Amino acid sequence: RHLANVGVGVTLMMLVMRSRIRWWEKTGPLLLLIGMVLLVLVLLPGIGAHVNGSSRWLRLGIANLQPSELMKLFMLVYVSGYIVRKQDELKNFTQGILMVGLVLAVIGMLLLQEPDLGTVVVITLTVLTMLFLSGVRFWHFMAIFGAGLGGMIVLTVFSPYRLNRVTGFLDPWADPFNSGFQLVQALIAFGRGEWLGVGLGASVQKLFYLPAAHTDFLFAIIAEELGLIGVVAVIGLFASFVLRAFMIAKQAERAGSLYAARLAQGIGLIIGLQAMINMGVNMGLLPTKGLTLPFMSYGGSSILVCCILAGLLLRIERETRSGATR
């Protein structure tokens, strides 16, 4: 099934590589509206699929669609266009950051109804960083960032299951069979891997010990099977992806295509931030979040969106190199 998803993802990537970046720029607001409608639909009884206490999927016959994954793509496309359209007004608080902050707040409230705090964190950090790199005033940035951080703290304190995740993250060994179970099992996987790992496919932790071993905690299994060498290799690959995305963004900006540049930056940021948070959770550096490891974890919607993002990045590089962005 995952191989089929990868096949569809690669096909979408090739189709996106044939599209024009200008088309994405023009359709940004429409895509954002479609994403919001999908987030509303997933919350309606009888339409959204309710699994493990969360309503995150739309059943489409043979497959499920996760609108929150699509919203990552749609938000990048929209915000990149907004930054270009308001380039001369970004230093104004209302036009520069407040309007985008309101859009983020609406999307965040819809995602929290699922609930999906991890996606809210990734989208918020990505968008705020894009605005900061585009020239918004520092105190405007800090005001919105502080408001967002305060809101997440409030949501955590007043939500028992989120508070349990934080307390379990601070001292997982205090309750290793309940709130700290996932992190304890992940740390055991890291410990078993040592330098070179136990061998590809030889993991014990994925055999009913570590929950979500093929999705959220895949990185821990990589550490167990491939050891420190495998961990460093995966981190290096993501670092290379982010670095290359920013290099392409720089080339696009030099070629005069601000939209392509901002979009490339956003792609590098959202992939890098999600990978960093996922790996941080696996290593016990961050509280548990329901986020996949981009390009690697099992999950149809995730792999499709990652492939589309990769296709967009390749298209930006192709247009920049050929001069089609001018």
Side-chain angles (χ1 to χ4, degrees), residues 64-100:
N64 294 334
L65 177 68
Q66 191 170 351
S68 58
E69 291 291 334
L70 288 176
M71 182 51 74
K72 296 174 185 176
L73 167 65
F74 296 162
M75 195 64 182
L76 283 184
V77 173
Y78 170 77
V79 171
S80 298
Y82 180 88
I83 289 172
V84 173
R85 291 193 302 273
K86 302 294 184 179
Q87 184 67 41
D88 297 329
E89 304 171 25
L90 288 179
K91 293 188 181 298
N92 179 285
F93 181 75
T94 302
Q95 297 296 330
I97 200 168
L98 182 60
M99 297 304 295
V100 175

PDB file of all heavy atoms in Angstrom, residues 64-100:
ATOM      1  N   ASN A  64      -7.971   7.145   2.333  1.00  0.00           N
ATOM      2  CA  ASN A  64      -8.340   8.235   3.227  1.00  0.00           C
ATOM      3  C   ASN A  64      -7.499   9.461   2.901  1.00  0.00           C
ATOM      4  O   ASN A  64      -6.319   9.340   2.574  1.00  0.00           O
ATOM      5  CB  ASN A  64      -8.134   7.848   4.685  1.00  0.00           C
ATOM      6  CG  ASN A  64      -9.076   6.742   5.130  1.00  0.00           C
ATOM      7  OD1 ASN A  64     -10.168   6.577   4.574  1.00  0.00           O
ATOM      8  ND2 ASN A  64      -8.667   5.972   6.126  1.00  0.00           N
ATOM      9  N   LEU A  65      -8.099  10.635   3.007  1.00  0.00           N
ATOM     10  CA  LEU A  65      -7.402  11.891   2.757  1.00  0.00           C
ATOM     11  C   LEU A  65      -7.295  12.664   4.062  1.00  0.00           C
ATOM     12  O   LEU A  65      -8.276  12.794   4.793  1.00  0.00           O
ATOM     13  CB  LEU A  65      -8.157  12.732   1.723  1.00  0.00           C
ATOM     14  CG  LEU A  65      -7.572  14.124   1.414  1.00  0.00           C
ATOM     15  CD1 LEU A  65      -6.235  13.974   0.690  1.00  0.00           C
ATOM     16  CD2 LEU A  65      -8.547  14.933   0.580  1.00  0.00           C
ATOM     17  N   GLN A  66      -6.102  13.167   4.376  1.00  0.00           N
ATOM     18  CA  GLN A  66      -5.878  13.950   5.584  1.00  0.00           C
ATOM     19  C   GLN A  66      -5.747  15.425   5.186  1.00  0.00           C
ATOM     20  O   GLN A  66      -4.685  15.868   4.731  1.00  0.00           O
ATOM     21  CB  GLN A  66      -4.620  13.478   6.316  1.00  0.00           C
ATOM     22  CG  GLN A  66      -4.480  14.061   7.707  1.00  0.00           C
ATOM     23  CD  GLN A  66      -3.358  13.403   8.504  1.00  0.00           C
ATOM     24  OE1 GLN A  66      -2.781  12.400   8.079  1.00  0.00           O
ATOM     25  NE2 GLN A  66      -3.055  13.948   9.662  1.00  0.00           N
ATOM     26  N   PRO A  67      -6.815  16.223   5.364  1.00  0.00           N
ATOM     27  CA  PRO A  67      -6.796  17.624   4.932  1.00  0.00           C
ATOM     28  C   PRO A  67      -5.703  18.462   5.590  1.00  0.00           C
ATOM     29  O   PRO A  67      -5.217  19.421   4.986  1.00  0.00           O
ATOM     30  CB  PRO A  67      -8.192  18.124   5.331  1.00  0.00           C
ATOM     31  CG  PRO A  67      -9.049  16.904   5.349  1.00  0.00           C
ATOM     32  CD  PRO A  67      -8.148  15.817   5.845  1.00  0.00           C
ATOM     33  N   SER A  68      -5.306  18.123   6.817  1.00  0.00           N
ATOM     34  CA  SER A  68      -4.279  18.909   7.496  1.00  0.00           C
ATOM     35  C   SER A  68      -2.955  18.860   6.739  1.00  0.00           C
ATOM     36  O   SER A  68      -2.185  19.827   6.746  1.00  0.00           O
ATOM     37  CB  SER A  68      -4.083  18.414   8.930  1.00  0.00           C
ATOM     38  OG  SER A  68      -3.720  17.055   8.960  1.00  0.00           O
ATOM     39  N   GLU A  69      -2.668  17.743   6.072  1.00  0.00           N
ATOM     40  CA  GLU A  69      -1.453  17.648   5.268  1.00  0.00           C
ATOM     41  C   GLU A  69      -1.543  18.565   4.045  1.00  0.00           C
ATOM     42  O   GLU A  69      -0.583  19.253   3.700  1.00  0.00           O
ATOM     43  CB  GLU A  69      -1.210  16.201   4.825  1.00  0.00           C
ATOM     44  CG  GLU A  69      -0.842  15.243   5.944  1.00  0.00           C
ATOM     45  CD  GLU A  69       0.532  15.521   6.522  1.00  0.00           C
ATOM     46  OE1 GLU A  69       1.389  16.084   5.811  1.00  0.00           O
ATOM     47  OE2 GLU A  69       0.749  15.175   7.693  1.00  0.00           O
ATOM     48  N   LEU A  70      -2.710  18.565   3.399  1.00  0.00           N
ATOM     49  CA  LEU A  70      -2.898  19.452   2.258  1.00  0.00           C
ATOM     50  C   LEU A  70      -2.808  20.919   2.667  1.00  0.00           C
ATOM     51  O   LEU A  70      -2.330  21.753   1.897  1.00  0.00           O
ATOM     52  CB  LEU A  70      -4.256  19.180   1.605  1.00  0.00           C
ATOM     53  CG  LEU A  70      -4.395  17.871   0.821  1.00  0.00           C
ATOM     54  CD1 LEU A  70      -5.819  17.704   0.332  1.00  0.00           C
ATOM     55  CD2 LEU A  70      -3.422  17.827  -0.346  1.00  0.00           C
ATOM     56  N   MET A  71      -3.271  21.227   3.891  1.00  0.00           N
ATOM     57  CA  MET A  71      -3.241  22.611   4.344  1.00  0.00           C
ATOM     58  C   MET A  71      -1.814  23.136   4.444  1.00  0.00           C
ATOM     59  O   MET A  71      -1.569  24.326   4.251  1.00  0.00           O
ATOM     60  CB  MET A  71      -3.957  22.740   5.689  1.00  0.00           C
ATOM     61  CG  MET A  71      -4.027  24.171   6.224  1.00  0.00           C
ATOM     62  SD  MET A  71      -4.659  25.372   5.029  1.00  0.00           S
ATOM     63  CE  MET A  71      -6.397  24.963   5.034  1.00  0.00           C
ATOM     64  N   LYS A  72      -0.852  22.277   4.732  1.00  0.00           N
ATOM     65  CA  LYS A  72       0.556  22.700   4.756  1.00  0.00           C
ATOM     66  C   LYS A  72       0.962  23.236   3.389  1.00  0.00           C
ATOM     67  O   LYS A  72       1.590  24.292   3.277  1.00  0.00           O
ATOM     68  CB  LYS A  72       1.460  21.531   5.151  1.00  0.00           C
ATOM     69  CG  LYS A  72       1.237  21.005   6.563  1.00  0.00           C
ATOM     70  CD  LYS A  72       2.073  19.759   6.802  1.00  0.00           C
ATOM     71  CE  LYS A  72       1.769  19.152   8.156  1.00  0.00           C
ATOM     72  NZ  LYS A  72       2.501  17.879   8.383  1.00  0.00           N
ATOM     73  N   LEU A  73       0.595  22.508   2.343  1.00  0.00           N
ATOM     74  CA  LEU A  73       0.905  22.928   0.971  1.00  0.00           C
ATOM     75  C   LEU A  73       0.154  24.203   0.620  1.00  0.00           C
ATOM     76  O   LEU A  73       0.750  25.170   0.119  1.00  0.00           O
ATOM     77  CB  LEU A  73       0.529  21.798  -0.002  1.00  0.00           C
ATOM     78  CG  LEU A  73       0.499  22.154  -1.490  1.00  0.00           C
ATOM     79  CD1 LEU A  73       1.885  22.521  -1.990  1.00  0.00           C
ATOM     80  CD2 LEU A  73      -0.078  20.996  -2.298  1.00  0.00           C
ATOM     81  N   PHE A  74      -1.149  24.224   0.876  1.00  0.00           N
ATOM     82  CA  PHE A  74      -1.973  25.377   0.495  1.00  0.00           C
ATOM     83  C   PHE A  74      -1.538  26.640   1.233  1.00  0.00           C
ATOM     84  O   PHE A  74      -1.545  27.732   0.656  1.00  0.00           O
ATOM     85  CB  PHE A  74      -3.443  25.084   0.782  1.00  0.00           C
ATOM     86  CG  PHE A  74      -4.010  23.945  -0.034  1.00  0.00           C
ATOM     87  CD1 PHE A  74      -5.181  23.306   0.354  1.00  0.00           C
ATOM     88  CD2 PHE A  74      -3.376  23.514  -1.180  1.00  0.00           C
ATOM     89  CE1 PHE A  74      -5.705  22.267  -0.392  1.00  0.00           C
ATOM     90  CE2 PHE A  74      -3.894  22.464  -1.939  1.00  0.00           C
ATOM     91  CZ  PHE A  74      -5.065  21.837  -1.538  1.00  0.00           C
ATOM     92  N   MET A  75      -1.163  26.503   2.498  1.00  0.00           N
ATOM     93  CA  MET A  75      -0.757  27.676   3.269  1.00  0.00           C
ATOM     94  C   MET A  75       0.556  28.242   2.730  1.00  0.00           C
ATOM     95  O   MET A  75       0.730  29.465   2.649  1.00  0.00           O
ATOM     96  CB  MET A  75      -0.606  27.295   4.746  1.00  0.00           C
ATOM     97  CG  MET A  75      -0.544  28.486   5.681  1.00  0.00           C
ATOM     98  SD  MET A  75      -2.075  29.424   5.659  1.00  0.00           S
ATOM     99  CE  MET A  75      -1.665  30.760   6.772  1.00  0.00           C
ATOM    100  N   LEU A  76       1.484  27.374   2.342  1.00  0.00           N
ATOM    101  CA  LEU A  76       2.747  27.844   1.755  1.00  0.00           C
ATOM    102  C   LEU A  76       2.495  28.615   0.460  1.00  0.00           C
ATOM    103  O   LEU A  76       3.065  29.689   0.242  1.00  0.00           O
ATOM    104  CB  LEU A  76       3.664  26.653   1.458  1.00  0.00           C
ATOM    105  CG  LEU A  76       4.403  25.989   2.608  1.00  0.00           C
ATOM    106  CD1 LEU A  76       5.308  24.903   2.059  1.00  0.00           C
ATOM    107  CD2 LEU A  76       5.191  26.986   3.402  1.00  0.00           C
ATOM    108  N   VAL A  77       1.644  28.060  -0.388  1.00  0.00           N
ATOM    109  CA  VAL A  77       1.352  28.691  -1.673  1.00  0.00           C
ATOM    110  C   VAL A  77       0.691  30.053  -1.454  1.00  0.00           C
ATOM    111  O   VAL A  77       1.030  31.037  -2.128  1.00  0.00           O
ATOM    112  CB  VAL A  77       0.437  27.775  -2.516  1.00  0.00           C
ATOM    113  CG1 VAL A  77      -0.029  28.489  -3.780  1.00  0.00           C
ATOM    114  CG2 VAL A  77       1.173  26.488  -2.889  1.00  0.00           C
ATOM    115  N   TYR A  78      -0.247  30.126  -0.499  1.00  0.00           N
ATOM    116  CA  TYR A  78      -0.949  31.383  -0.240  1.00  0.00           C
ATOM    117  C   TYR A  78      -0.033  32.433   0.386  1.00  0.00           C
ATOM    118  O   TYR A  78       0.016  33.586  -0.068  1.00  0.00           O
ATOM    119  CB  TYR A  78      -2.147  31.129   0.676  1.00  0.00           C
ATOM    120  CG  TYR A  78      -2.778  32.414   1.173  1.00  0.00           C
ATOM    121  CD1 TYR A  78      -3.594  33.171   0.344  1.00  0.00           C
ATOM    122  CD2 TYR A  78      -2.535  32.867   2.468  1.00  0.00           C
ATOM    123  CE1 TYR A  78      -4.160  34.360   0.788  1.00  0.00           C
ATOM    124  CE2 TYR A  78      -3.092  34.060   2.922  1.00  0.00           C
ATOM    125  CZ  TYR A  78      -3.905  34.796   2.074  1.00  0.00           C
ATOM    126  OH  TYR A  78      -4.450  35.979   2.523  1.00  0.00           O
ATOM    127  N   VAL A  79       0.694  32.055   1.436  1.00  0.00           N
ATOM    128  CA  VAL A  79       1.531  33.021   2.157  1.00  0.00           C
ATOM    129  C   VAL A  79       2.644  33.555   1.262  1.00  0.00           C
ATOM    130  O   VAL A  79       2.985  34.739   1.323  1.00  0.00           O
ATOM    131  CB  VAL A  79       2.106  32.393   3.447  1.00  0.00           C
ATOM    132  CG1 VAL A  79       3.142  33.311   4.083  1.00  0.00           C
ATOM    133  CG2 VAL A  79       0.990  32.109   4.428  1.00  0.00           C
ATOM    134  N   SER A  80       3.204  32.716   0.407  1.00  0.00           N
ATOM    135  CA  SER A  80       4.245  33.182  -0.522  1.00  0.00           C
ATOM    136  C   SER A  80       3.699  34.282  -1.423  1.00  0.00           C
ATOM    137  O   SER A  80       4.360  35.296  -1.669  1.00  0.00           O
ATOM    138  CB  SER A  80       4.762  32.010  -1.362  1.00  0.00           C
ATOM    139  OG  SER A  80       5.356  31.017  -0.557  1.00  0.00           O
ATOM    140  N   GLY A  81       2.464  34.087  -1.914  1.00  0.00           N
ATOM    141  CA  GLY A  81       1.850  35.110  -2.746  1.00  0.00           C
ATOM    142  C   GLY A  81       1.515  36.366  -1.968  1.00  0.00           C
ATOM    143  O   GLY A  81       1.683  37.487  -2.469  1.00  0.00           O
ATOM    144  N   TYR A  82       1.055  36.195  -0.725  1.00  0.00           N
ATOM    145  CA  TYR A  82       0.719  37.353   0.109  1.00  0.00           C
ATOM    146  C   TYR A  82       1.958  38.206   0.364  1.00  0.00           C
ATOM    147  O   TYR A  82       1.899  39.442   0.291  1.00  0.00           O
ATOM    148  CB  TYR A  82       0.131  36.878   1.432  1.00  0.00           C
ATOM    149  CG  TYR A  82      -0.253  38.005   2.372  1.00  0.00           C
ATOM    150  CD1 TYR A  82      -1.518  38.578   2.311  1.00  0.00           C
ATOM    151  CD2 TYR A  82       0.647  38.505   3.314  1.00  0.00           C
ATOM    152  CE1 TYR A  82      -1.882  39.622   3.154  1.00  0.00           C
ATOM    153  CE2 TYR A  82       0.303  39.550   4.157  1.00  0.00           C
ATOM    154  CZ  TYR A  82      -0.959  40.095   4.073  1.00  0.00           C
ATOM    155  OH  TYR A  82      -1.299  41.129   4.909  1.00  0.00           O
ATOM    156  N   ILE A  83       3.069  37.562   0.657  1.00  0.00           N
ATOM    157  CA  ILE A  83       4.314  38.283   0.923  1.00  0.00           C
ATOM    158  C   ILE A  83       4.733  39.111  -0.285  1.00  0.00           C
ATOM    159  O   ILE A  83       5.179  40.260  -0.156  1.00  0.00           O
ATOM    160  CB  ILE A  83       5.433  37.294   1.315  1.00  0.00           C
ATOM    161  CG1 ILE A  83       5.159  36.720   2.712  1.00  0.00           C
ATOM    162  CG2 ILE A  83       6.799  37.969   1.282  1.00  0.00           C
ATOM    163  CD1 ILE A  83       6.105  35.605   3.107  1.00  0.00           C
ATOM    164  N   VAL A  84       4.573  38.542  -1.490  1.00  0.00           N
ATOM    165  CA  VAL A  84       4.955  39.258  -2.707  1.00  0.00           C
ATOM    166  C   VAL A  84       4.003  40.427  -2.958  1.00  0.00           C
ATOM    167  O   VAL A  84       4.428  41.535  -3.299  1.00  0.00           O
ATOM    168  CB  VAL A  84       4.975  38.297  -3.917  1.00  0.00           C
ATOM    169  CG1 VAL A  84       5.209  39.060  -5.211  1.00  0.00           C
ATOM    170  CG2 VAL A  84       6.069  37.250  -3.728  1.00  0.00           C
ATOM    171  N   ARG A  85       2.692  40.183  -2.778  1.00  0.00           N
ATOM    172  CA  ARG A  85       1.709  41.243  -3.027  1.00  0.00           C
ATOM    173  C   ARG A  85       1.860  42.405  -2.043  1.00  0.00           C
ATOM    174  O   ARG A  85       1.651  43.569  -2.395  1.00  0.00           O
ATOM    175  CB  ARG A  85       0.289  40.684  -2.927  1.00  0.00           C
ATOM    176  CG  ARG A  85      -0.092  39.733  -4.036  1.00  0.00           C
ATOM    177  CD  ARG A  85      -1.589  39.480  -4.058  1.00  0.00           C
ATOM    178  NE  ARG A  85      -2.074  38.935  -2.792  1.00  0.00           N
ATOM    179  CZ  ARG A  85      -2.102  37.643  -2.482  1.00  0.00           C
ATOM    180  NH1 ARG A  85      -1.663  36.753  -3.377  1.00  0.00           N
ATOM    181  NH2 ARG A  85      -2.569  37.225  -1.329  1.00  0.00           N
ATOM    182  N   LYS A  86       2.233  42.102  -0.811  1.00  0.00           N
ATOM    183  CA  LYS A  86       2.326  43.123   0.234  1.00  0.00           C
ATOM    184  C   LYS A  86       3.783  43.467   0.551  1.00  0.00           C
ATOM    185  O   LYS A  86       4.080  43.937   1.655  1.00  0.00           O
ATOM    186  CB  LYS A  86       1.624  42.627   1.508  1.00  0.00           C
ATOM    187  CG  LYS A  86       0.163  42.258   1.318  1.00  0.00           C
ATOM    188  CD  LYS A  86      -0.689  43.467   0.975  1.00  0.00           C
ATOM    189  CE  LYS A  86      -2.158  43.090   0.874  1.00  0.00           C
ATOM    190  NZ  LYS A  86      -3.010  44.250   0.565  1.00  0.00           N
ATOM    191  N   GLN A  87       4.673  43.253  -0.396  1.00  0.00           N
ATOM    192  CA  GLN A  87       6.101  43.437  -0.159  1.00  0.00           C
ATOM    193  C   GLN A  87       6.419  44.824   0.398  1.00  0.00           C
ATOM    194  O   GLN A  87       7.240  44.976   1.299  1.00  0.00           O
ATOM    195  CB  GLN A  87       6.881  43.218  -1.463  1.00  0.00           C
ATOM    196  CG  GLN A  87       8.385  43.278  -1.318  1.00  0.00           C
ATOM    197  CD  GLN A  87       8.955  42.134  -0.500  1.00  0.00           C
ATOM    198  OE1 GLN A  87       8.520  41.000  -0.638  1.00  0.00           O
ATOM    199  NE2 GLN A  87       9.922  42.427   0.355  1.00  0.00           N
ATOM    200  N   ASP A  88       5.748  45.844  -0.119  1.00  0.00           N
ATOM    201  CA  ASP A  88       6.033  47.215   0.305  1.00  0.00           C
ATOM    202  C   ASP A  88       5.320  47.597   1.599  1.00  0.00           C
ATOM    203  O   ASP A  88       5.553  48.687   2.129  1.00  0.00           O
ATOM    204  CB  ASP A  88       5.629  48.197  -0.802  1.00  0.00           C
ATOM    205  CG  ASP A  88       6.430  47.981  -2.079  1.00  0.00           C
ATOM    206  OD1 ASP A  88       7.595  47.552  -1.963  1.00  0.00           O
ATOM    207  OD2 ASP A  88       5.880  48.225  -3.175  1.00  0.00           O
ATOM    208  N   GLU A  89       4.448  46.720   2.099  1.00  0.00           N
ATOM    209  CA  GLU A  89       3.663  47.049   3.287  1.00  0.00           C
ATOM    210  C   GLU A  89       3.966  46.126   4.466  1.00  0.00           C
ATOM    211  O   GLU A  89       3.280  46.172   5.480  1.00  0.00           O
ATOM    212  CB  GLU A  89       2.175  46.974   2.958  1.00  0.00           C
ATOM    213  CG  GLU A  89       1.777  47.856   1.783  1.00  0.00           C
ATOM    214  CD  GLU A  89       0.347  47.600   1.338  1.00  0.00           C
ATOM    215  OE1 GLU A  89      -0.450  47.132   2.171  1.00  0.00           O
ATOM    216  OE2 GLU A  89       0.029  47.859   0.167  1.00  0.00           O
ATOM    217  N   LEU A  90       4.985  45.276   4.334  1.00  0.00           N
ATOM    218  CA  LEU A  90       5.258  44.284   5.366  1.00  0.00           C
ATOM    219  C   LEU A  90       5.676  44.909   6.695  1.00  0.00           C
ATOM    220  O   LEU A  90       5.493  44.300   7.755  1.00  0.00           O
ATOM    221  CB  LEU A  90       6.352  43.317   4.890  1.00  0.00           C
ATOM    222  CG  LEU A  90       5.939  42.318   3.794  1.00  0.00           C
ATOM    223  CD1 LEU A  90       7.116  41.456   3.401  1.00  0.00           C
ATOM    224  CD2 LEU A  90       4.779  41.456   4.258  1.00  0.00           C
ATOM    225  N   LYS A  91       6.241  46.098   6.654  1.00  0.00           N
ATOM    226  CA  LYS A  91       6.668  46.737   7.899  1.00  0.00           C
ATOM    227  C   LYS A  91       5.491  47.364   8.651  1.00  0.00           C
ATOM    228  O   LYS A  91       5.630  47.789   9.797  1.00  0.00           O
ATOM    229  CB  LYS A  91       7.735  47.802   7.614  1.00  0.00           C
ATOM    230  CG  LYS A  91       9.048  47.200   7.114  1.00  0.00           C
ATOM    231  CD  LYS A  91      10.144  48.244   7.023  1.00  0.00           C
ATOM    232  CE  LYS A  91      11.435  47.618   6.503  1.00  0.00           C
ATOM    233  NZ  LYS A  91      11.952  46.575   7.382  1.00  0.00           N
ATOM    234  N   ASN A  92       4.332  47.409   8.001  1.00  0.00           N
ATOM    235  CA  ASN A  92       3.115  47.860   8.659  1.00  0.00           C
ATOM    236  C   ASN A  92       2.504  46.682   9.407  1.00  0.00           C
ATOM    237  O   ASN A  92       2.310  45.610   8.839  1.00  0.00           O
ATOM    238  CB  ASN A  92       2.132  48.402   7.618  1.00  0.00           C
ATOM    239  CG  ASN A  92       0.833  48.877   8.236  1.00  0.00           C
ATOM    240  OD1 ASN A  92      -0.004  48.076   8.622  1.00  0.00           O
ATOM    241  ND2 ASN A  92       0.682  50.182   8.322  1.00  0.00           N
ATOM    242  N   PHE A  93       2.180  46.868  10.692  1.00  0.00           N
ATOM    243  CA  PHE A  93       1.729  45.749  11.524  1.00  0.00           C
ATOM    244  C   PHE A  93       0.472  45.087  10.958  1.00  0.00           C
ATOM    245  O   PHE A  93       0.379  43.856  10.882  1.00  0.00           O
ATOM    246  CB  PHE A  93       1.469  46.226  12.953  1.00  0.00           C
ATOM    247  CG  PHE A  93       1.027  45.121  13.885  1.00  0.00           C
ATOM    248  CD1 PHE A  93       1.942  44.190  14.356  1.00  0.00           C
ATOM    249  CD2 PHE A  93      -0.299  45.002  14.269  1.00  0.00           C
ATOM    250  CE1 PHE A  93       1.541  43.157  15.203  1.00  0.00           C
ATOM    251  CE2 PHE A  93      -0.699  43.984  15.111  1.00  0.00           C
ATOM    252  CZ  PHE A  93       0.218  43.063  15.580  1.00  0.00           C
ATOM    253  N   THR A  94      -0.510  45.908  10.545  1.00  0.00           N
ATOM    254  CA  THR A  94      -1.776  45.359  10.069  1.00  0.00           C
ATOM    255  C   THR A  94      -1.592  44.563   8.786  1.00  0.00           C
ATOM    256  O   THR A  94      -2.020  43.403   8.684  1.00  0.00           O
ATOM    257  CB  THR A  94      -2.803  46.481   9.840  1.00  0.00           C
ATOM    258  OG1 THR A  94      -2.989  47.203  11.056  1.00  0.00           O
ATOM    259  CG2 THR A  94      -4.137  45.895   9.386  1.00  0.00           C
ATOM    260  N   GLN A  95      -0.936  45.155   7.794  1.00  0.00           N
ATOM    261  CA  GLN A  95      -0.749  44.491   6.512  1.00  0.00           C
ATOM    262  C   GLN A  95       0.394  43.485   6.545  1.00  0.00           C
ATOM    263  O   GLN A  95       0.371  42.487   5.826  1.00  0.00           O
ATOM    264  CB  GLN A  95      -0.474  45.543   5.420  1.00  0.00           C
ATOM    265  CG  GLN A  95      -1.611  46.503   5.184  1.00  0.00           C
ATOM    266  CD  GLN A  95      -2.857  45.822   4.665  1.00  0.00           C
ATOM    267  OE1 GLN A  95      -2.779  44.814   3.973  1.00  0.00           O
ATOM    268  NE2 GLN A  95      -4.017  46.369   5.005  1.00  0.00           N
ATOM    269  N   GLY A  96       1.382  43.748   7.389  1.00  0.00           N
ATOM    270  CA  GLY A  96       2.569  42.904   7.382  1.00  0.00           C
ATOM    271  C   GLY A  96       2.393  41.561   8.037  1.00  0.00           C
ATOM    272  O   GLY A  96       2.809  40.539   7.507  1.00  0.00           O
ATOM    273  N   ILE A  97       1.747  41.542   9.211  1.00  0.00           N
ATOM    274  CA  ILE A  97       1.721  40.282   9.943  1.00  0.00           C
ATOM    275  C   ILE A  97       0.370  39.977  10.580  1.00  0.00           C
ATOM    276  O   ILE A  97       0.017  38.818  10.776  1.00  0.00           O
ATOM    277  CB  ILE A  97       2.835  40.281  11.025  1.00  0.00           C
ATOM    278  CG1 ILE A  97       3.170  38.863  11.463  1.00  0.00           C
ATOM    279  CG2 ILE A  97       2.464  41.173  12.204  1.00  0.00           C
ATOM    280  CD1 ILE A  97       4.442  38.769  12.290  1.00  0.00           C
ATOM    281  N   LEU A  98      -0.439  41.025  10.876  1.00  0.00           N
ATOM    282  CA  LEU A  98      -1.708  40.779  11.555  1.00  0.00           C
ATOM    283  C   LEU A  98      -2.685  40.000  10.689  1.00  0.00           C
ATOM    284  O   LEU A  98      -3.340  39.069  11.167  1.00  0.00           O
ATOM    285  CB  LEU A  98      -2.340  42.104  11.988  1.00  0.00           C
ATOM    286  CG  LEU A  98      -3.671  41.985  12.756  1.00  0.00           C
ATOM    287  CD1 LEU A  98      -3.472  41.187  14.035  1.00  0.00           C
ATOM    288  CD2 LEU A  98      -4.246  43.365  13.067  1.00  0.00           C
ATOM    289  N   MET A  99      -2.794  40.358   9.401  1.00  0.00           N
ATOM    290  CA  MET A  99      -3.736  39.679   8.512  1.00  0.00           C
ATOM    291  C   MET A  99      -3.393  38.196   8.367  1.00  0.00           C
ATOM    292  O   MET A  99      -4.269  37.338   8.420  1.00  0.00           O
ATOM    293  CB  MET A  99      -3.753  40.358   7.143  1.00  0.00           C
ATOM    294  CG  MET A  99      -4.245  41.805   7.166  1.00  0.00           C
ATOM    295  SD  MET A  99      -5.888  41.972   7.907  1.00  0.00           S
ATOM    296  CE  MET A  99      -6.878  41.072   6.727  1.00  0.00           C
ATOM    297  N   VAL A 100      -2.115  37.913   8.198  1.00  0.00           N
ATOM    298  CA  VAL A 100      -1.694  36.507   8.115  1.00  0.00           C
ATOM    299  C   VAL A 100      -1.920  35.822   9.456  1.00  0.00           C
ATOM    300  O   VAL A 100      -2.304  34.647   9.518  1.00  0.00           O
ATOM    301  CB  VAL A 100      -0.215  36.405   7.697  1.00  0.00           C
ATOM    302  CG1 VAL A 100       0.251  34.955   7.725  1.00  0.00           C
ATOM    303  CG2 VAL A 100      -0.018  36.980   6.308  1.00  0.00           C
TER     304      VAL A 100
END
